[in-house]
Amino acid sequence: MSMVTLRIQRFNPEADAAPVYREYTVEVDPTDRVLDTLNAVKWYQDGTLTYRRSCAHGVCGSDAMRINGVNRLACKVLMRDVGAQVTVEPLMGFRVIKDLVVDMEPFFAQFRSVLPFFINDARPPERERLQSVEDRERFDDTTKCILCAACTTSCPSFWANEDFVGPAAIVNAHRFIFDTRDAAAAERLEILNDREGVWRCRTIFNCTEACPREIKITKAIGEVKKAILYGTARA
Amino acid sequence: MSARGAARRGGGYDRPSPRGNFELWSWFFMRISGVLLMFLALYHLLWWNLIVGVHHLSADMVRERWTNPFWRLFNVALISFAMLHGLNGARYSIEDYVRSPGARTAVKTVVYTLVLASLAIGVYALLTFNPDIPRIR
């Protein structure tokens, strides 16, 4: 066990004019996660500390936050990897509702704008819509997104311009654009062929580095750009 | 966006009506001009600075090169791709960071005017250079 100092950005809209940093000293094991440390603060020191978490196993995407300046899932980062002084802040680019909880609605609105669902108006076959292993592999990487927003909120284009659709929405469009069973690729490519669509991406790779699921996001965005150039996802 | 897309959309950012493929072609231009500039600028740099060497550079050499139409074309391509590639990069930065529409138009007007005027002067000089002017001693 060792002692660490957690410096957390706090903001209570009913009391604070601006966010403030508060420090908490917590006893941790090296194999504790940052989420365990936040829980220790909330449960034993300050019950007003507010943050989102749900599954606590890196699958639900609820607890994305800035840990020592880097977008991470608090449930996937071990204390031994962050040192004895840890700064925890909310994701950048969203309105802070309270402490580490941000308003994700603009993020989900951008997500919905790319038609992130299966579209095929053709009469369904008697059994399932078959797909080869190779065709499934084409979009396998982008099926892994958990909508934690770590990528979008690490993107300087998004910080500068909240109208940018953002890497997460493009990743989820990619998942359907390159699915041979889906019939609305052209529609999605048309939506993304916009100044605030894929063309706002400057290929900075922050999204790829931030993704807790290790999705090759910049590569996926590049594939969508190429599909717009060629006019088809089937090239 | 098609009517079906609009009907299906769940209420994301309301995008303005489609503005054609300008952004697509400007992205494509950046890739092509970037690749070409690697060769054009690298050759230019290597030839004049390392192979010829700045100490041996003379007006006569420039004049001699200029008489070959290939090198005139080479230099027109070099300055055009370099200036337009840079201008488009500047446009990206302006659109990212100058948020007020009025200020954005003003900054773009100044930058476009400066870059395009420099490009015009450069190309004009390359195409109308008179090799017969007397040498300056």
Side-chain angles (χ1 to χ4, degrees):
Chain A
M1 299 287 268
S2 60
M3 302 304 282
V4 298
T5 305
L6 218 53
R7 188 166 163 269
I8 305 176
Q9 183 181 315
R10 303 291 309 267
F11 177 65
N12 177 359
E14 290 168 2
D16 303 328
V20 290
Y21 287 89
R22 297 228 172 86
E23 290 194 356
Y24 303 88
T25 305
V26 186
E27 193 173 28
V28 298
D29 273 329
T31 51
D32 279 347
R33 302 159 304 167
V34 173
L35 180 62
D36 299 317
T37 316
L38 288 171
N39 286 341
V41 172
K42 184 172 177 65
W43 295 342
Y44 304 112
Q45 295 189 34
D46 185 349
T48 64
L49 177 65
T50 308
Y51 50 94
R52 286 194 182 101
R53 83 271 186 269
S54 186
C55 79
H57 288 80
V59 179
C60 75
S62 299
D63 63 351
M65 55 189 72
R66 256 184 307 156
I67 298 168
N68 285 344
V70 182
N71 282 2
R72 291 280 158 81
L73 295 182
C75 60
K76 284 191 80 170
V77 180
L78 297 182
M79 291 309 295
R80 69 178 176 208
D81 296 326
V82 291
Q85 296 271 343
V86 188
T87 303
V88 182
E89 297 156 302
L91 293 174
M92 282 172 78
F94 293 137
R95 182 177 67 87
V96 176
I97 296 174
K98 192 181 177 193
D99 295 342
L100 302 173
V101 175
V102 293
D103 179 9
M104 299 274 285
E105 181 46 35
F107 174 78
F108 289 122
Q110 298 291 21
F111 168 67
R112 289 193 295 268
S113 75
V114 300
L115 317 176
F117 39 80
F118 184 70
I119 298 173
N120 192 333
D121 295 335
R123 199 182 163 79
E126 268 189 30
R127 300 187 63 178
E128 71 268 34
R129 295 175 201 266
L130 289 175
Q131 187 170 50
S132 70
V133 173
E134 293 74 26
D135 283 346
R136 176 62 179 72
E137 185 64 30
R138 184 74 188 79
F139 60 93
D140 186 67
D141 200 35
T142 47
T143 62
K144 295 174 191 161
C145 177
I146 54 174
L147 293 172
C148 66
C151 59
T152 295
T153 56
S154 73
C155 172
S157 295
F158 174 75
W159 298 335
N161 190 336
E162 63 198 15
D163 289 337
F164 174 40
V165 72
I170 302 172
V171 159
N172 284 278
H174 179 284
R175 182 255 169 270
F176 290 100
I177 287 167
F178 293 93
D179 188 337
T180 51
R181 301 163 298 183
D182 186 274
E187 234 169 299
R188 294 193 190 87
L189 293 176
E190 190 190 329
I191 291 166
L192 291 172
N193 182 13
D194 186 275
R195 183 178 296 178
E196 309 304 344
V198 288
W199 307 124
R200 183 69 72 179
C201 165
R202 311 292 184 224
T203 330
I204 288 163
F205 281 86
N206 273 18
C207 53
T208 304
E209 285 186 18
C211 181
R213 306 283 295 177
E214 296 175 10
I215 300 171
K216 296 180 186 73
I217 302 176
T218 313
K219 180 168 178 262
I221 297 174
E223 287 173 357
V224 174
K225 286 173 175 171
K226 270 203 260 179
I228 293 172
L229 177 67
Y230 298 145
T232 174
R234 306 281 178 254
Chain B
M1 174 184 314
S2 68
R4 193 170 82 151
R8 277 213 171 98
R9 280 177 56 192
Y13 163 67
D14 199 15
R15 291 190 174 73
S17 54
R19 270 168 296 188
N21 286 327
F22 176 74
E23 292 290 339
L24 163 64
W25 294 120
S26 94
W27 171 80
F28 190 60
F29 171 78
M30 290 303 259
R31 268 67 203 159
I32 300 298
S33 58
V35 171
L36 286 173
L37 276 171
M38 278 201 302
F39 295 104
L40 294 172
L42 199 66
Y43 180 81
H44 184 79
L45 194 77
L46 287 178
W47 176 259
W48 289 114
N49 289 288
L50 293 177
I51 297 168
V52 172
V54 278
H55 299 299
H56 305 105
L57 219 165
S58 70
D60 283 339
M61 293 187 70
V62 175
R63 213 184 301 234
E64 190 191 319
R65 277 221 147 192
W66 187 86
T67 51
N68 184 338
F70 171 79
W71 290 114
R72 256 177 280 170
L73 189 70
F74 178 96
N75 285 305
V76 169
L78 177 58
I79 189 172
S80 302
F81 282 124
M83 297 296 266
L84 294 176
H85 188 94
L87 179 63
N88 204 30
R91 179 179 74 86
Y92 284 167
S93 299
I94 294 166
E95 289 186 351
D96 278 352
Y97 293 108
V98 185
R99 299 305 311 283
S100 133
R104 189 160 60 223
T105 308
V107 173
K108 271 190 188 175
T109 306
V110 171
V111 172
Y112 282 31
T113 307
L114 282 175
V115 174
L116 293 177
S118 311
L119 175 59
I121 293 168
V123 173
Y124 178 80
L126 278 166
L127 297 181
T128 61
F129 173 68
N130 179 1
D132 298 327
I133 50 169
R135 292 182 62 177
I136 300 164
R137 292 280 173 192

